[in-house]
Amino acid sequence: MLLKQVLLLNLLVLALLLSGCSDSAGVATLRDYQQRLNRVLELDSTKPQLPAAAALPAKSALQQPLPDLRINLLDAFATRRCGLDQLIAERNSSLGKVFTASKRLHYELRFLATLELCLTEAWEEPLKSQLSQVYQQKQQTIGIALSNMLQTDDTLRKTWLGSNKALIPGSDNGFTASLGALQQLLELKQAIAREDWYSASRIDPEAALASLYRSDFFPQLQFSLRYANSWFNAVNPPLLSLAPASLCPRGQSEQLTILTTVFRKYFIGEAQAYLAELNRYQQQSWPLIAELYQDSPLLPVLQQRYQQPATELQQQLLQHVGWYQQLNQLCPVGLTG
C-alpha cells in the first residue's frame, strides 16, 4: 500500500514538472501552426532562437545624488502651523532615512506642496528667505528624484527586464491594470513638468508600481513580441524559398486543400489573431512608455526591447501573408478569399 502511495506521489510530481515546462498558450499556438505548415509543405523550419535582449544600464550608473536640504530645528518648530514640521520629522525618522526611490519622490512632492502652501503665510525674516530658498532648491532637484525612480526602482527594472513567459491569447493578461499604472506615472510626470505640486503630491507612485508588479504584463509582452519575431525568423525563410508556382497542379490537389485549412483555421483563426492582439497591446502601450522615458538613458534599451521587435514583427507578417497572396494568384483555390 505504501509503495502504491509513493508511486502515485511521484507521478503527481512528474505531472507538475511537465506542466511547468510546457509552452504557454501563445507559444503553443504559433508552434502548432508551424508544425502543420512544415508537414503539409514538407518544410524544415527550426525552433525559434531568441537573441539576447539589450541590457539595462546598471543602477549605479543611473542613480543621481539628491541634495539633502535641512531646516534649522527651531525654524521647523515655528512652521508647525502649516504642517511642515511633520514632514521634516518623517524624513528624519529611521524609515525616512532609507526611503526607496519611489517613496523619496512622493516625499519630495508632498514637501513641495506643503512648502508652497507655507509660503502663502506671513513669516518674519530670516525664516521667510530660508523657506523661499529651500522651495527653489527643491524645485530644481525634483527632476532628479523623478529620474531616480523611473530608472532605478526595482519594480520598474523588473518590468522592463522581461520574462520567459508569453501572454495568453484572448485574455486581458493584466493589460488594463498595467496600462492604467503607466498612465498614472505619466500623469505624475506631467504634473511635475507643470510644477503643479498639489496634484503631483496626490499621486502615489507606490500604487502604480504595485499594479505593475502584480500583473507582470509588460515582461510577458516583451517576451511575446521577441518570441513571435524570432518565430517568423525561423518560419519565413523556408516558406519564402518555396516557389508558389511549384504547388499549382492542373487541378486542385489534396495538398492545397489541406494548406487552405491550415491557413484559414490555424494561421488566420489562431496565429494571426494572436499576433494582432500583441500588436494592439504594443500600439496602445508604447507611446506611454516612450513619453515616460523621453530623454532617459533607458529609452534606447526599451526601444530595442519593445518597439524594434514589434516593427520587425509586422514586416515579417506582411512577408508571410504576401507568400499566400502570391500563391492564391497563381493557384486560384481561395486561400486568401
Side-chain angles (χ1 to χ4, degrees):
M1 182 69 177
L2 180 60
L3 180 62
K4 184 176 181 181
Q5 290 177 336
V6 171
L7 181 59
L8 288 173
L9 180 60
N10 288 338
L11 288 174
L12 177 60
V13 171
L14 178 61
L16 289 173
L17 289 173
L18 289 174
S19 64
C21 297
S22 61
D23 291 335
S24 67
V27 170
T29 294
L30 297 179
R31 285 190 178 173
D32 180 49
Y33 166 69
Q34 180 182 6
Q35 290 168 0
R36 292 176 186 278
L37 191 64
N38 281 348
R39 283 198 297 269
V40 69
L41 294 179
E42 298 179 353
L43 300 177
D44 190 26
S45 61
T46 58
K47 184 179 179 180
Q49 299 294 324
L50 268 72
L56 294 181
K59 286 176 63 173
S60 58
L62 300 171
Q63 183 81 37
Q64 300 179 63
L66 193 62
D68 202 8
L69 304 175
R70 300 285 181 175
I71 298 179
N72 183 281
L73 288 177
L74 291 177
D75 292 337
F77 180 77
T79 58
R80 282 186 304 173
R81 69 179 191 239
C82 62
L84 198 60
D85 62 317
Q86 296 176 8
L87 286 169
I88 295 172
E90 180 182 341
R91 181 72 180 98
N92 291 331
S93 69
S94 57
L95 291 177
K97 293 176 181 178
V98 291
F99 274 156
T100 62
S102 57
K103 288 184 180 296
R104 182 65 187 274
L105 172 63
H106 193 215
Y107 169 82
E108 295 293 331
L109 289 168
R110 288 186 291 123
F111 193 96
L112 269 169
T114 303
L115 185 51
E116 184 177 49
L117 185 62
C118 279
L119 289 173
T120 63
E121 305 235 0
W123 301 100
E124 295 182 359
E125 294 292 352
L127 181 55
K128 180 178 181 181
S129 296
Q130 184 184 10
L131 291 177
S132 297
Q133 183 179 13
V134 171
Y135 181 70
Q136 292 172 4
Q137 291 171 326
K138 288 285 186 182
Q139 283 183 306
Q140 293 168 359
T141 59
I142 193 64
I144 296 177
L146 175 63
S147 294
N148 283 344
M149 186 204 71
L150 291 177
Q151 297 178 154
T152 68
D153 177 80
D154 288 335
T155 294
L156 285 174
R157 288 181 68 86
K158 175 182 175 293
T159 296
W160 308 132
L161 273 173
S163 172
N164 60 356
K165 183 179 178 183
L167 294 172
I168 299 172
S171 170
D172 178 76
N173 290 294
F175 170 65
T176 303
S178 296
L179 196 68
L182 270 192
Q183 290 169 332
Q184 193 174 18
L185 290 177
L186 189 55
E187 288 171 6
L188 176 59
K189 181 180 179 180
Q190 292 167 343
I192 291 173
R194 297 193 308 269
E195 298 187 354
D196 182 355
W197 311 127
Y198 175 77
S199 296
S201 68
R202 304 280 289 182
I203 301 173
D204 187 355
E206 292 289 304
L209 295 175
S211 294
L212 292 174
Y213 182 84
R214 284 193 300 267
S215 72
D216 205 34
F217 170 80
F218 286 109
Q220 292 182 35
L221 174 61
Q222 180 186 152
F223 176 83
S224 300
L225 291 169
R226 294 178 58 239
Y227 179 87
N229 191 41
S230 299
W231 177 81
F232 268 126
N233 283 331
V235 171
N236 271 357
L239 177 67
L240 299 181
S241 67
L242 181 64
S246 66
L247 300 177
C248 297
R250 292 182 179 178
Q252 185 171 348
S253 68
E254 182 181 1
Q255 183 186 37
L256 283 178
T257 300
I258 297 173
L259 184 60
T260 300
T261 300
V262 169
F263 176 77
R264 291 182 182 277
K265 182 176 180 179
Y266 298 100
F267 180 70
I268 297 297
E270 297 180 4
Q272 190 177 37
Y274 178 59
L275 297 174
E277 194 171 47
L278 296 183
N279 183 62
R280 177 174 64 85
Y281 286 148
Q282 198 272 345
Q283 289 292 320
Q284 291 187 50
S285 60
W286 174 249
L288 301 182
I289 298 173
E291 186 174 352
L292 190 62
Y293 283 90
Q294 187 178 18
D295 301 323
S296 163
L298 284 183
L299 183 59
V301 175
L302 296 176
Q303 286 174 324
Q304 292 180 51
R305 286 172 171 260
Y306 288 93
Q307 187 181 39
Q308 183 176 323
T311 300
E312 293 176 357
L313 177 58
Q314 292 306 304
Q315 295 170 348
Q316 296 261 34
L317 176 61
L318 290 175
Q319 291 177 357
H320 195 82
V321 173
W323 183 89
Y324 279 106
Q325 291 173 335
Q326 187 179 1
L327 176 65
N328 191 61
Q329 291 174 356
L330 298 171
C331 309
V333 292
L335 275 172
T336 58

